[in-house]
Amino acid sequence: MHFIQRRRYNDLADRFRAEEEKHKQLTVRRNRMEAESVSIGGMLTEFEELEAPPIEFDEKLWHAVVDRVTVYNDDLLVYSLKDGSEITIML
């Protein structure tokens, strides 16, 4: 009987550790999504404050929307936006 109880305990402990890892991963994912939500909210606020689409470069809008731009030596630009999307442009 002792062997069966130990085996059941080990099975339950393994399941607990697996669920604990899932919980940890979901918490990280939720935190990342919350941060993205704040970023997107900021972008929307910037757009809502515009009376018309900008015709000239707007530094404030640029910083609200663009995370980084990667320039490749083959005339390729990749704009990484703060919402996680990317825009690729070939010059």
Side-chain angles (χ1 to χ4, degrees):
M1 182 83 166
H2 179 55
F3 174 75
I4 293 171
Q5 288 175 339
R6 178 51 108 186
R7 186 172 169 192
R8 173 102 171 111
Y9 171 82
N10 288 339
D11 289 344
L12 290 173
D14 289 343
R15 281 183 51 201
F16 175 78
R17 282 189 287 277
E19 293 301 319
E20 193 173 41
E21 181 60 30
K22 282 183 198 176
H23 179 266
K24 189 171 150 183
Q25 291 172 357
L26 288 172
T27 300
V28 167
R29 184 176 176 206
R30 184 190 71 213
N31 291 341
R32 185 176 60 244
M33 290 174 80
E34 286 175 351
E36 289 172 358
S37 174
V38 168
S39 176
I40 291 169
M43 288 176 16
L44 289 175
T45 299
E46 294 294 327
F47 283 123
E48 288 170 354
E49 289 178 359
L50 296 174
E51 294 178 16
I55 295 175
E56 296 179 7
F57 179 77
D58 185 324
E59 185 175 353
K60 185 176 175 186
L61 182 58
W62 173 271
H63 289 292
V65 175
V66 178
D67 185 37
R68 70 180 176 278
V69 179
T70 306
V71 180
Y72 294 92
N73 62 1
D74 58 353
D75 297 328
L76 180 71
L77 300 173
V78 178
Y79 292 82
S80 300
L81 307 181
K82 291 191 177 181
D83 70 353
S85 63
E86 290 186 343
I87 299 172
T88 302
I89 298 178
M90 187 68 133
L91 299 177

Coordinates of all heavy atoms in Angstrom, one line a residue:
M1 N 0.8 -1.2 0.0 CA 0.0 0.0 0.0 C 0.9 1.3 0.0 O 0.6 2.2 -0.7 CB -0.9 0.0 1.2 CG -1.8 1.1 1.3 SD -3.3 0.8 0.3 CE -4.3 2.1 0.8
H2 N 2.0 1.2 0.7 CA 2.8 2.4 0.8 C 3.4 2.8 -0.6 O 3.5 3.9 -0.9 CB 4.0 2.1 1.8 CG 4.9 3.2 1.9 ND1 4.5 4.5 2.3 CD2 6.3 3.3 1.8 CE1 5.6 5.3 2.3 NE2 6.7 4.6 2.0
F3 N 3.7 1.8 -1.4 CA 4.3 2.0 -2.7 C 3.2 2.7 -3.6 O 3.5 3.6 -4.3 CB 4.7 0.7 -3.4 CG 5.1 0.8 -4.8 CD1 6.3 1.4 -5.1 CD2 4.3 0.4 -5.8 CE1 6.7 1.5 -6.5 CE2 4.6 0.5 -7.2 CZ 5.9 1.1 -7.5
I4 N 2.0 2.3 -3.5 CA 0.9 2.9 -4.3 C 0.7 4.3 -3.9 O 0.5 5.2 -4.8 CB -0.4 2.0 -4.2 CG1 -0.2 0.7 -4.8 CG2 -1.6 2.8 -4.8 CD1 -1.3 -0.3 -4.6
Q5 N 0.7 4.6 -2.6 CA 0.5 6.0 -2.1 C 1.7 6.9 -2.6 O 1.4 8.0 -3.0 CB 0.4 6.0 -0.6 CG -0.9 5.4 -0.1 CD -0.8 5.4 1.4 OE1 0.2 5.4 2.1 NE2 -2.0 5.3 2.0
R6 N 2.9 6.4 -2.6 CA 4.0 7.1 -3.0 C 3.9 7.5 -4.5 O 4.2 8.6 -4.9 CB 5.3 6.4 -2.7 CG 6.6 7.0 -3.1 CD 6.7 8.5 -2.7 NE 7.6 8.6 -1.6 CZ 7.8 9.7 -1.0 NH1 7.1 10.8 -1.2 NH2 8.7 9.8 0.0
R7 N 3.5 6.4 -5.3 CA 3.4 6.6 -6.7 C 2.3 7.7 -7.0 O 2.5 8.5 -7.9 CB 3.1 5.3 -7.4 CG 3.0 5.3 -8.9 CD 2.9 4.0 -9.4 NE 2.6 4.1 -10.8 CZ 2.2 3.1 -11.6 NH1 2.0 1.9 -11.0 NH2 1.9 3.2 -12.8
R8 N 1.2 7.6 -6.3 CA 0.1 8.6 -6.5 C 0.6 10.0 -6.1 O 0.3 10.9 -6.8 CB -1.1 8.2 -5.6 CG -2.2 9.2 -5.6 CD -3.4 8.8 -6.5 NE -4.5 9.6 -6.3 CZ -4.9 10.5 -7.2 NH1 -4.3 10.6 -8.3 NH2 -5.9 11.3 -6.9
Y9 N 1.3 10.1 -5.0 CA 1.9 11.4 -4.6 C 2.8 11.9 -5.7 O 2.7 13.1 -6.1 CB 2.6 11.2 -3.3 CG 3.4 12.5 -3.0 CD1 2.7 13.6 -2.3 CD2 4.7 12.6 -3.3 CE1 3.4 14.7 -2.1 CE2 5.4 13.8 -3.0 CZ 4.8 14.8 -2.4 OH 5.4 16.0 -2.1
N10 N 3.7 11.1 -6.2 CA 4.6 11.5 -7.3 C 3.9 12.0 -8.5 O 4.2 13.0 -9.1 CB 5.6 10.4 -7.6 CG 6.6 10.2 -6.5 OD1 6.9 11.1 -5.7 ND2 7.2 9.1 -6.5
D11 N 2.8 11.2 -8.9 CA 2.0 11.6 -10.1 C 1.4 13.0 -9.8 O 1.4 13.9 -10.7 CB 1.0 10.6 -10.4 CG 1.5 9.3 -10.9 OD1 2.7 9.3 -11.4 OD2 0.8 8.3 -10.9
L12 N 0.8 13.2 -8.7 CA 0.2 14.5 -8.3 C 1.2 15.6 -8.3 O 0.9 16.7 -8.7 CB -0.6 14.4 -7.0 CG -1.9 13.5 -7.1 CD1 -2.5 13.3 -5.7 CD2 -2.9 14.1 -8.0
A13 N 2.3 15.3 -7.7 CA 3.4 16.3 -7.6 C 3.9 16.7 -9.0 O 4.1 17.9 -9.3 CB 4.6 15.8 -6.8
D14 N 4.0 15.8 -9.9 CA 4.4 16.0 -11.3 C 3.3 16.9 -12.0 O 3.6 17.9 -12.7 CB 4.6 14.8 -12.1 CG 5.8 14.0 -11.7 OD1 6.7 14.6 -11.0 OD2 5.9 12.8 -12.0
R15 N 2.1 16.6 -11.8 CA 1.0 17.3 -12.4 C 1.0 18.8 -11.8 O 0.8 19.7 -12.6 CB -0.4 16.7 -12.1 CG -0.7 15.5 -13.0 CD -2.1 14.9 -12.8 NE -3.1 15.9 -12.8 CZ -4.3 15.7 -12.2 NH1 -4.6 14.6 -11.6 NH2 -5.2 16.6 -12.3
F16 N 1.2 18.9 -10.5 CA 1.3 20.2 -9.9 C 2.4 21.1 -10.5 O 2.2 22.2 -10.9 CB 1.5 20.1 -8.4 CG 1.6 21.4 -7.7 CD1 0.5 22.2 -7.5 CD2 2.9 21.9 -7.4 CE1 0.7 23.5 -6.9 CE2 3.1 23.1 -6.8 CZ 1.9 23.9 -6.5
R17 N 3.6 20.5 -10.7 CA 4.7 21.2 -11.3 C 4.4 21.6 -12.7 O 4.7 22.8 -13.1 CB 6.0 20.4 -11.2 CG 6.6 20.4 -9.8 CD 8.0 19.8 -9.8 NE 7.9 18.3 -10.0 CZ 7.8 17.4 -9.0 NH1 7.6 17.9 -7.7 NH2 7.7 16.2 -9.2
A18 N 3.7 20.8 -13.5 CA 3.4 21.1 -14.8 C 2.4 22.3 -14.9 O 2.5 23.2 -15.7 CB 2.8 19.9 -15.6
E19 N 1.4 22.2 -14.0 CA 0.4 23.3 -13.9 C 1.0 24.6 -13.4 O 0.6 25.7 -13.9 CB -0.8 22.9 -13.1 CG -1.6 21.7 -13.6 CD -2.2 22.1 -15.0 OE1 -2.7 23.2 -15.2 OE2 -2.2 21.2 -15.9
E20 N 1.9 24.5 -12.5 CA 2.6 25.6 -12.0 C 3.4 26.3 -13.1 O 3.4 27.6 -13.2 CB 3.5 25.2 -10.8 CG 4.1 26.3 -10.0 CD 4.8 25.8 -8.8 OE1 5.6 24.8 -8.9 OE2 4.7 26.4 -7.7
E21 N 4.1 25.5 -14.0 CA 4.8 26.1 -15.1 C 3.9 26.7 -16.1 O 4.2 27.8 -16.6 CB 5.6 25.0 -15.8 CG 6.5 25.5 -16.9 CD 7.5 26.5 -16.6 OE1 8.0 26.5 -15.4 OE2 7.8 27.3 -17.4
K22 N 2.7 26.1 -16.4 CA 1.7 26.7 -17.2 C 1.3 28.1 -16.7 O 1.2 29.1 -17.4 CB 0.5 25.8 -17.4 CG 0.7 24.7 -18.3 CD -0.6 23.9 -18.5 CE -0.5 22.6 -19.0 NZ -1.7 21.8 -19.0
H23 N 1.0 28.1 -15.4 CA 0.6 29.3 -14.7 C 1.6 30.4 -14.9 O 1.3 31.6 -15.2 CB 0.3 29.1 -13.3 CG -0.1 30.3 -12.5 ND1 0.7 31.1 -11.8 CD2 -1.4 30.9 -12.4 CE1 0.1 32.1 -11.3 NE2 -1.2 32.0 -11.6
K24 N 2.9 30.1 -14.7 CA 4.0 31.0 -14.8 C 4.1 31.6 -16.2 O 4.2 32.8 -16.4 CB 5.3 30.3 -14.4 CG 6.5 31.1 -14.3 CD 7.6 30.3 -13.7 CE 9.0 30.7 -14.2 NZ 10.0 29.8 -13.7
Q25 N 4.0 30.7 -17.2 CA 4.0 31.2 -18.6 C 2.8 32.1 -19.0 O 3.0 33.1 -19.7 CB 4.0 30.0 -19.6 CG 5.3 29.2 -19.5 CD 5.3 27.9 -20.3 OE1 4.2 27.5 -20.9 NE2 6.4 27.2 -20.3
L26 N 1.6 31.7 -18.5 CA 0.4 32.5 -18.7 C 0.6 33.9 -18.0 O 0.1 34.9 -18.6 CB -0.8 31.8 -18.2 CG -1.2 30.6 -19.1 CD1 -2.4 29.9 -18.4 CD2 -1.7 31.1 -20.5
T27 N 1.2 33.9 -16.8 CA 1.4 35.2 -16.1 C 2.3 36.1 -16.9 O 2.1 37.3 -17.1 CB 1.9 35.0 -14.7 OG1 1.0 34.2 -14.0 CG2 2.2 36.3 -14.0
V28 N 3.4 35.5 -17.5 CA 4.3 36.3 -18.3 C 3.6 36.8 -19.5 O 3.7 38.0 -19.9 CB 5.5 35.4 -18.7 CG1 6.4 36.1 -19.8 CG2 6.4 35.2 -17.5
R29 N 2.8 36.0 -20.2 CA 2.0 36.4 -21.4 C 1.1 37.5 -21.0 O 0.9 38.4 -21.8 CB 1.3 35.2 -21.9 CG 0.6 35.4 -23.2 CD 0.0 34.2 -23.8 NE -0.8 34.5 -24.9 CZ -1.8 33.8 -25.4 NH1 -2.2 32.7 -24.7 NH2 -2.5 34.2 -26.4
R30 N 0.3 37.4 -19.9 CA -0.6 38.4 -19.5 C 0.1 39.7 -19.3 O -0.4 40.8 -19.7 CB -1.4 38.0 -18.2 CG -2.4 39.0 -17.8 CD -3.0 38.8 -16.5 NE -2.0 39.1 -15.5 CZ -1.8 38.5 -14.4 NH1 -2.6 37.5 -14.0 NH2 -0.9 38.9 -13.5
N31 N 1.2 39.7 -18.6 CA 2.0 40.9 -18.3 C 2.4 41.6 -19.6 O 2.4 42.8 -19.8 CB 3.2 40.6 -17.4 CG 2.8 40.3 -16.0 OD1 1.6 40.6 -15.6 ND2 3.7 39.6 -15.3
R32 N 2.9 40.8 -20.6 CA 3.3 41.3 -21.9 C 2.1 41.9 -22.6 O 2.2 43.0 -23.2 CB 3.9 40.2 -22.7 CG 4.5 40.7 -24.0 CD 5.2 39.6 -24.9 NE 4.3 38.5 -25.2 CZ 4.4 37.3 -24.8 NH1 5.5 36.9 -24.0 NH2 3.6 36.3 -25.1
M33 N 1.0 41.3 -22.5 CA -0.2 41.8 -23.2 C -0.7 43.1 -22.5 O -1.1 44.0 -23.2 CB -1.3 40.7 -23.2 CG -1.1 39.5 -24.1 SD -2.3 38.2 -23.9 CE -3.6 38.9 -24.9
E34 N -0.6 43.2 -21.2 CA -0.9 44.4 -20.5 C 0.0 45.5 -21.0 O -0.5 46.7 -21.2 CB -0.9 44.2 -19.0 CG -2.0 43.4 -18.5 CD -1.9 43.1 -17.0 OE1 -0.9 43.4 -16.4 OE2 -2.9 42.5 -16.4
A35 N 1.3 45.3 -21.1 CA 2.2 46.3 -21.5 C 1.9 46.7 -23.0 O 1.9 47.9 -23.3 CB 3.6 45.8 -21.4
E36 N 1.6 45.8 -23.8 CA 1.2 46.1 -25.2 C -0.1 46.9 -25.2 O -0.2 47.9 -26.0 CB 1.0 44.8 -26.0 CG 2.3 44.1 -26.3 CD 2.2 42.8 -27.0 OE1 1.0 42.3 -27.2 OE2 3.2 42.1 -27.3
S37 N -1.0 46.6 -24.3 CA -2.2 47.4 -24.3 C -2.0 48.8 -23.9 O -2.6 49.7 -24.5 CB -3.2 46.7 -23.2 OG -4.3 47.5 -23.1
V38 N -1.1 49.1 -23.0 CA -0.7 50.4 -22.6 C -0.1 51.1 -23.8 O -0.4 52.3 -24.1 CB 0.2 50.4 -21.4 CG1 0.8 51.8 -21.1 CG2 -0.5 49.9 -20.1
S39 N 0.8 50.5 -24.5 CA 1.4 51.0 -25.7 C 0.4 51.4 -26.7 O 0.4 52.5 -27.3 CB 2.5 50.1 -26.2 OG 3.1 50.6 -27.4
I40 N -0.5 50.5 -27.0 CA -1.5 50.7 -28.0 C -2.4 51.8 -27.6 O -2.8 52.7 -28.4 CB -2.3 49.4 -28.3 CG1 -1.4 48.4 -29.0 CG2 -3.5 49.7 -29.2 CD1 -2.0 47.0 -29.1
G41 N -2.8 51.9 -26.3 CA -3.6 53.0 -25.8 C -2.9 54.3 -26.0 O -3.6 55.3 -26.4
G42 N -1.6 54.4 -25.8 CA -0.9 55.6 -26.0 C -0.9 56.0 -27.5 O -1.0 57.2 -27.8
M43 N -0.7 55.0 -28.4 CA -0.8 55.3 -29.8 C -2.1 55.8 -30.2 O -2.2 56.8 -31.0 CB -0.5 54.0 -30.6 CG 1.0 53.6 -30.6 SD 1.4 52.0 -31.4 CE 0.1 51.7 -32.5
L44 N -3.2 55.2 -29.7 CA -4.5 55.7 -30.0 C -4.7 57.1 -29.6 O -5.4 57.9 -30.2 CB -5.6 54.7 -29.4 CG -5.7 53.4 -30.1 CD1 -6.7 52.5 -29.4 CD2 -6.1 53.5 -31.6
T45 N -4.3 57.4 -28.4 CA -4.4 58.8 -27.8 C -3.7 59.8 -28.8 O -4.2 60.8 -29.1 CB -3.8 58.8 -26.4 OG1 -4.5 57.9 -25.6 CG2 -3.9 60.2 -25.9
E46 N -2.5 59.4 -29.2 CA -1.8 60.3 -30.1 C -2.6 60.5 -31.4 O -2.7 61.6 -31.9 CB -0.4 59.7 -30.5 CG 0.6 59.6 -29.3 CD 1.0 61.0 -28.8 OE1 1.0 61.9 -29.6 OE2 1.2 61.1 -27.6
F47 N -3.1 59.4 -32.0 CA -3.9 59.6 -33.2 C -5.2 60.4 -33.0 O -5.6 61.2 -33.8 CB -4.3 58.2 -33.8 CG -3.2 57.5 -34.5 CD1 -2.7 56.3 -34.1 CD2 -2.5 58.1 -35.6 CE1 -1.7 55.7 -34.8 CE2 -1.5 57.5 -36.2 CZ -1.1 56.3 -35.9
E48 N -5.8 60.2 -31.8 CA -7.1 60.9 -31.5 C -6.8 62.4 -31.4 O -7.7 63.2 -31.7 CB -7.7 60.4 -30.3 CG -8.3 59.0 -30.5 CD -8.8 58.3 -29.2 OE1 -8.5 58.9 -28.1 OE2 -9.4 57.3 -29.2
E49 N -5.6 62.8 -30.9 CA -5.3 64.2 -30.8 C -5.0 64.9 -32.1 O -5.0 66.1 -32.2 CB -4.1 64.4 -29.9 CG -4.4 64.0 -28.4 CD -3.2 64.1 -27.5 OE1 -2.1 64.5 -28.0 OE2 -3.3 63.9 -26.3
L50 N -4.9 64.2 -33.2 CA -4.6 64.8 -34.5 C -5.9 65.3 -35.1 O -6.9 64.6 -35.0 CB -4.0 63.7 -35.4 CG -2.6 63.2 -35.1 CD1 -2.2 62.1 -36.0 CD2 -1.6 64.3 -35.1
E51 N -5.9 66.5 -35.6 CA -7.1 67.0 -36.3 C -7.2 66.4 -37.7 O -8.3 66.3 -38.2 CB -7.0 68.5 -36.3 CG -7.1 69.1 -34.9 CD -7.0 70.6 -34.8 OE1 -7.2 71.2 -35.9 OE2 -6.8 71.1 -33.8
A52 N -6.1 66.2 -38.3 CA -6.1 65.6 -39.6 C -4.8 64.7 -39.7 O -3.9 64.9 -38.9 CB -6.0 66.7 -40.7
P53 N -4.8 63.8 -40.6 CA -3.6 63.0 -40.8 C -2.4 63.9 -41.1 O -2.5 64.9 -41.8 CB -3.9 62.1 -42.0 CG -5.3 62.1 -42.1 CD -5.8 63.4 -41.6
P54 N -1.2 63.6 -40.4 CA -0.1 64.5 -40.6 C 0.5 64.4 -42.0 O 0.6 63.3 -42.6 CB 0.9 63.9 -39.6 CG 0.5 62.5 -39.4 CD -1.0 62.5 -39.6
I55 N 0.8 65.6 -42.6 CA 1.4 65.7 -43.9 C 2.9 65.9 -43.7 O 3.7 65.4 -44.4 CB 0.8 66.8 -44.7 CG1 -0.7 66.5 -45.0 CG2 1.5 67.0 -46.0 CD1 -1.5 67.6 -45.7
E56 N 3.2 66.5 -42.6 CA 4.6 66.7 -42.3 C 5.1 65.7 -41.2 O 4.2 65.2 -40.5 CB 4.9 68.1 -41.7 CG 4.6 69.2 -42.8 CD 4.8 70.6 -42.2 OE1 5.3 70.7 -41.0 OE2 4.4 71.6 -42.9
F57 N 6.3 65.5 -41.1 CA 6.9 64.6 -40.0 C 6.5 65.1 -38.7 O 6.6 66.3 -38.4 CB 8.4 64.5 -40.2 CG 9.0 63.6 -39.1 CD1 8.9 62.3 -39.2 CD2 9.6 64.2 -38.0 CE1 9.5 61.4 -38.3 CE2 10.2 63.4 -37.0 CZ 10.1 62.0 -37.2
D58 N 6.0 64.3 -37.8 CA 5.6 64.6 -36.5 C 6.4 63.7 -35.5 O 6.1 62.5 -35.4 CB 4.1 64.4 -36.3 CG 3.6 64.8 -34.9 OD1 4.3 64.7 -33.9 OD2 2.4 65.3 -34.9
E59 N 7.4 64.3 -34.9 CA 8.3 63.6 -34.0 C 7.5 62.9 -32.9 O 7.8 61.8 -32.5 CB 9.4 64.5 -33.5 CG 10.4 63.8 -32.6 CD 11.5 64.7 -32.2 OE1 11.6 65.8 -32.6 OE2 12.4 64.2 -31.4
K60 N 6.6 63.6 -32.3 CA 5.8 63.0 -31.2 C 5.0 61.8 -31.6 O 5.0 60.7 -30.9 CB 4.8 64.1 -30.6 CG 4.1 63.7 -29.4 CD 3.2 64.8 -28.9 CE 2.4 64.4 -27.7 NZ 1.4 65.4 -27.3
L61 N 4.4 61.9 -32.8 CA 3.7 60.7 -33.3 C 4.6 59.6 -33.7 O 4.4 58.4 -33.4 CB 2.9 61.1 -34.6 CG 2.1 60.1 -35.2 CD1 1.0 59.5 -34.3 CD2 1.4 60.6 -36.5
W62 N 5.8 59.9 -34.2 CA 6.8 58.9 -34.6 C 7.2 58.1 -33.3 O 7.2 56.9 -33.3 CB 8.0 59.6 -35.2 CG 9.2 58.7 -35.4 CD1 10.2 58.4 -34.5 CD2 9.5 57.9 -36.6 NE1 11.1 57.5 -35.1 CE2 10.7 57.2 -36.4 CE3 8.9 57.8 -37.8 CZ2 11.2 56.4 -37.3 CZ3 9.4 57.0 -38.8 CH2 10.6 56.3 -38.5
H63 N 7.5 58.8 -32.2 CA 7.9 58.1 -31.0 C 6.8 57.3 -30.4 O 7.0 56.4 -29.7 CB 8.5 59.1 -30.0 CG 9.9 59.7 -30.4 ND1 11.0 58.9 -30.5 CD2 10.2 60.9 -30.8 CE1 12.0 59.6 -30.9 NE2 11.6 60.8 -31.1
A64 N 5.6 57.7 -30.6 CA 4.4 57.0 -30.1 C 4.1 55.7 -30.8 O 3.6 54.8 -30.3 CB 3.2 57.9 -30.1
V65 N 4.5 55.7 -32.1 CA 4.2 54.5 -33.0 C 5.3 53.6 -33.3 O 5.2 52.4 -33.2 CB 3.6 55.1 -34.3 CG1 3.3 53.9 -35.2 CG2 2.3 55.8 -34.0
V66 N 6.5 54.2 -33.5 CA 7.7 53.4 -34.0 C 8.6 53.0 -32.9 O 9.0 53.8 -32.1 CB 8.5 54.2 -35.1 CG1 9.7 53.3 -35.5 CG2 7.6 54.5 -36.3
D67 N 8.8 51.7 -32.8 CA 9.7 51.2 -31.7 C 11.2 51.3 -32.2 O 12.1 51.8 -31.6 CB 9.4 49.7 -31.4 CG 10.2 49.2 -30.3 OD1 10.5 49.9 -29.3 OD2 10.6 48.0 -30.3
R68 N 11.4 50.8 -33.5 CA 12.8 50.9 -34.0 C 12.7 50.6 -35.5 O 11.7 50.1 -36.1 CB 13.7 49.9 -33.4 CG 13.4 48.4 -33.8 CD 14.4 47.4 -33.1 NE 14.0 46.1 -33.4 CZ 13.1 45.4 -32.7 NH1 12.5 46.0 -31.7 NH2 12.8 44.2 -33.1
V69 N 13.7 51.0 -36.2 CA 13.8 50.8 -37.7 C 15.2 50.1 -37.9 O 16.2 50.5 -37.4 CB 13.8 52.1 -38.5 CG1 14.0 51.9 -40.0 CG2 12.6 52.9 -38.2
T70 N 15.1 49.0 -38.6 CA 16.3 48.2 -39.0 C 16.6 48.5 -40.4 O 15.7 48.3 -41.3 CB 16.1 46.7 -38.7 OG1 15.7 46.6 -37.3 CG2 17.4 46.0 -38.9
V71 N 17.8 48.9 -40.7 CA 18.2 49.2 -42.1 C 19.2 48.1 -42.5 O 20.3 47.9 -41.8 CB 18.9 50.6 -42.2 CG1 19.3 50.9 -43.6 CG2 18.0 51.7 -41.7
Y72 N 18.9 47.4 -43.6 CA 19.8 46.4 -44.1 C 20.6 46.9 -45.3 O 20.1 47.8 -46.0 CB 19.0 45.1 -44.5 CG 18.3 44.5 -43.3 CD1 17.0 44.8 -42.9 CD2 18.9 43.5 -42.5 CE1 16.4 44.2 -41.9 CE2 18.3 42.9 -41.5 CZ 17.0 43.3 -41.1 OH 16.4 42.7 -40.0
N73 N 21.7 46.3 -45.5 CA 22.6 46.8 -46.6 C 22.1 46.5 -48.0 O 22.6 47.0 -49.0 CB 24.0 46.3 -46.4 CG 24.1 44.8 -46.5 OD1 23.1 44.1 -46.7 ND2 25.3 44.3 -46.4
D74 N 21.0 45.8 -48.1 CA 20.4 45.5 -49.5 C 19.2 46.4 -49.7 O 18.2 46.0 -50.4 CB 20.0 44.1 -49.6 CG 19.0 43.6 -48.5 OD1 18.7 44.4 -47.6 OD2 18.6 42.4 -48.6
D75 N 19.2 47.7 -49.2 CA 18.1 48.6 -49.4 C 16.8 48.2 -48.8 O 15.7 48.5 -49.3 CB 18.0 49.0 -50.8 CG 19.2 49.7 -51.4 OD1 19.9 50.4 -50.7 OD2 19.5 49.5 -52.6
L76 N 16.8 47.5 -47.7 CA 15.6 47.0 -47.0 C 15.5 47.7 -45.7 O 16.4 47.8 -44.9 CB 15.7 45.5 -46.8 CG 14.5 44.8 -46.2 CD1 13.3 44.8 -47.1 CD2 14.9 43.4 -45.8
L77 N 14.3 48.2 -45.4 CA 14.0 48.9 -44.1 C 12.9 48.1 -43.5 O 11.9 47.7 -44.1 CB 13.5 50.3 -44.3 CG 14.4 51.3 -45.0 CD1 13.7 52.6 -45.3 CD2 15.7 51.5 -44.1
V78 N 13.0 47.8 -42.2 CA 12.0 47.1 -41.4 C 11.6 48.0 -40.3 O 12.5 48.2 -39.4 CB 12.5 45.7 -41.0 CG1 11.3 45.1 -40.1 CG2 12.8 44.8 -42.1
Y79 N 10.4 48.5 -40.3 CA 9.9 49.3 -39.2 C 9.2 48.4 -38.2 O 8.2 47.8 -38.6 CB 8.9 50.4 -39.8 CG 9.5 51.4 -40.6 CD1 9.8 51.2 -42.0 CD2 9.8 52.6 -40.1 CE1 10.4 52.1 -42.8 CE2 10.4 53.6 -40.9 CZ 10.7 53.4 -42.2 OH 11.3 54.3 -43.0
S80 N 9.7 48.4 -37.0 CA 9.0 47.6 -35.9 C 8.2 48.6 -35.1 O 8.7 49.5 -34.5 CB 10.1 46.9 -35.0 OG 10.9 46.1 -35.8
L81 N 6.9 48.4 -35.1 CA 6.0 49.3 -34.4 C 5.8 48.8 -33.0 O 6.0 47.7 -32.6 CB 4.7 49.4 -35.2 CG 4.8 49.7 -36.7 CD1 3.4 49.8 -37.3 CD2 5.6 51.0 -36.9
K82 N 5.3 49.7 -32.2 CA 5.1 49.5 -30.7 C 4.0 48.5 -30.5 O 3.9 47.9 -29.4 CB 4.9 50.8 -30.0 CG 6.2 51.6 -29.9 CD 6.1 52.7 -29.0 CE 7.5 53.4 -29.0 NZ 7.5 54.5 -28.1
D83 N 3.1 48.3 -31.5 CA 2.0 47.3 -31.3 C 2.5 45.9 -31.6 O 1.8 44.9 -31.6 CB 0.8 47.6 -32.1 CG 1.0 47.5 -33.6 OD1 2.1 47.2 -34.1 OD2 0.0 47.7 -34.3
G84 N 3.8 45.7 -32.0 CA 4.4 44.4 -32.3 C 4.4 44.1 -33.8 O 5.0 43.1 -34.2
S85 N 3.7 44.9 -34.6 CA 3.7 44.6 -36.1 C 4.9 45.2 -36.7 O 5.7 46.0 -36.1 CB 2.4 45.2 -36.7 OG 2.4 46.6 -36.6
E86 N 5.2 44.8 -38.0 CA 6.3 45.3 -38.7 C 5.9 45.7 -40.1 O 5.0 45.1 -40.7 CB 7.4 44.2 -38.8 CG 8.1 43.9 -37.5 CD 9.2 42.9 -37.7 OE1 9.3 42.2 -38.7 OE2 10.0 42.8 -36.8
I87 N 6.5 46.7 -40.6 CA 6.3 47.1 -42.0 C 7.7 47.1 -42.7 O 8.7 47.6 -42.2 CB 5.8 48.6 -42.0 CG1 4.5 48.7 -41.3 CG2 5.7 49.1 -43.5 CD1 4.0 50.1 -41.1
T88 N 7.7 46.3 -43.8 CA 9.0 46.2 -44.6 C 8.9 47.0 -45.8 O 7.9 46.9 -46.6 CB 9.2 44.7 -44.9 OG1 9.2 43.9 -43.7 CG2 10.5 44.5 -45.7
I89 N 9.9 47.8 -46.1 CA 10.0 48.6 -47.3 C 11.3 48.3 -48.0 O 12.3 48.4 -47.4 CB 9.8 50.1 -46.9 CG1 8.5 50.3 -46.3 CG2 10.0 51.0 -48.2 CD1 8.2 51.7 -45.9
M90 N 11.2 48.1 -49.3 CA 12.3 47.9 -50.2 C 12.6 49.2 -50.9 O 11.7 49.8 -51.5 CB 12.1 46.8 -51.2 CG 13.3 46.4 -51.9 SD 14.5 45.7 -50.9 CE 15.0 44.3 -51.8
L91 N 13.8 49.8 -50.8 CA 14.1 51.1 -51.5 C 14.5 50.8 -52.9 O 15.0 49.9 -53.3 CB 15.2 51.8 -50.7 CG 14.9 52.2 -49.3 CD1 16.1 52.8 -48.6 CD2 13.7 53.1 -49.2

